[in-house]
Amino acid sequence: DIQMTQSPSSLSASVGDRVTITCRASQSITIYLNWYQQKPGKAPKVLIYAASSLQSGVPSRFSGSGSGTDFTLTISSLQPEDFAAYYCQQTYSTPYTFGQGTNLEIK
Amino acid sequence: QVQLVQSGAEVKKPGASVKVSCRASGYTFTDYYIHWVRQAPGQGLEWMGWIITNSGGTNYAQKFQGRVTMTRDTSISTAYMELNWLTSDDTAVYYCARGNFKTVLRGVVTDRLYYFDSWGQGTLVTVSS
């Protein structure tokens, strides 16, 4: 199975900050990498697919980059509604695996 | 709009089975796979498998092989996930999700890069004696 490792596991930031979350795969997954946001008690929501494609309706302050084994999710200017958990996911091969998550908290 | 509506919360005893439904609307059901993902309390996301809604073909994570069955009823645009031999470790919220895809070139062939673009609201399954 492909292991996905996110860092950091938790992050405190302020409104307006630029934030970067990283995700590393245990083997190359080319661009088969998605990012999700999850708020408490809610289902996840896709933000970025194929490493850098912005899902329709997602604000442009979210961006993704990377290929191979190393990926990043960047939020250019944090908004109050962005405080949530973030997960990366590989869909290169089954079982599709998720990172352990990054909890983004208000400083 | 695309919507996935799941069945309600369940409480089961160890050793029992649970069957969760996921009713789709707002799109052609057989055009997209349905995936199942679970999340134990306070934990991360775990992919369980998919069902090809057109053919009924399935792909289960090895962890759940022999214990999970995914089916669908195209006449009512509904997918089902049944999990047998429940233990307390199966206490979790179970989600269905639509598998959308982007066509990409993988080597010399085209491939589908899947992502989950619509999710059900989740079904809490509690396993307790």
Side-chain angles (χ1 to χ4, degrees):
Chain A
D1 298 0
I2 298 175
Q3 308 302 316
M4 306 300 293
T5 303
Q6 284 180 236
S7 61
S9 295
S10 64
L11 175 60
S12 294
S14 301
V15 172
D17 283 353
R18 180 184 181 89
V19 165
T20 297
I21 299 169
T22 64
C23 180
R24 175 164 289 177
S26 59
Q27 66 180 74
S28 177
I29 57 172
T30 66
I31 61 166
Y32 286 67
L33 189 285
N34 308 314
W35 289 98
Y36 298 86
Q37 176 193 67
Q38 186 180 32
K39 296 183 178 179
K42 299 295 186 182
K45 167 189 168 183
V46 66
L47 302 173
I48 301 288
Y49 63 94
S52 61
S53 295
L54 188 68
Q55 172 69 352
S56 175
V58 174
S60 59
R61 62 180 180 273
F62 291 93
S63 64
S65 64
S67 67
T69 60
D70 295 312
F71 303 87
T72 60
L73 172 70
T74 299
I75 310 172
S76 61
S77 178
L78 272 175
Q79 298 302 301
E81 60 268 28
D82 299 338
F83 292 94
Y86 293 84
Y87 294 91
C88 62
Q89 177 204 31
Q90 66 82 18
T91 55
Y92 184 81
S93 65
T94 58
Y96 295 160
T97 44
F98 293 86
Q100 81 279 13
T102 295
N103 285 314
L104 180 52
E105 303 168 336
I106 301 174
K107 184 182 286 183
Chain B
Q1 77 282 19
V2 174
Q3 199 170 11
L4 300 176
V5 178
Q6 298 183 221
S7 48
E10 304 262 13
V11 179
K12 296 292 183 181
K13 293 193 181 303
S17 299
V18 69
K19 190 170 185 177
V20 180
S21 68
C22 171
R23 176 169 50 85
S25 61
Y27 71 98
T28 301
F29 179 66
T30 50
D31 282 351
Y32 299 87
Y33 293 11
I34 291 289
H35 297 254
W36 291 89
V37 175
R38 76 177 186 178
Q39 185 171 38
Q43 302 301 307
L45 302 165
E46 182 174 33
W47 180 80
M48 299 179 69
W50 79 47
I51 183 165
I52 304 172
T53 49
N54 194 353
S55 67
T58 54
N59 183 334
Y60 303 141
Q62 187 171 8
K63 174 178 180 176
F64 300 102
Q65 286 276 1
R67 213 160 62 90
V68 70
T69 304
M70 296 178 188
T71 57
R72 92 286 187 232
D73 184 338
T74 58
S75 69
I76 55 172
S77 299
T78 299
Y80 303 91
M81 187 282 300
E82 183 172 24
L83 190 61
N84 302 314
W85 302 110
L86 294 168
T87 72
S88 58
D89 290 342
D90 294 315
T91 294
V93 175
Y94 290 76
Y95 294 101
C96 62
R98 188 178 81 159
N100 205 340
F101 59 89
K102 175 178 179 175
T103 301
V104 297
L105 190 62
R106 184 162 171 171
V108 295
V109 298
T110 58
D111 193 15
R112 291 180 173 185
L113 187 157
Y114 284 102
Y115 59 101
F116 303 164
D117 70 340
S118 186
W119 294 64
Q121 82 277 19
T123 297
L124 175 62
V125 176
T126 303
V127 183
S128 174
S129 55

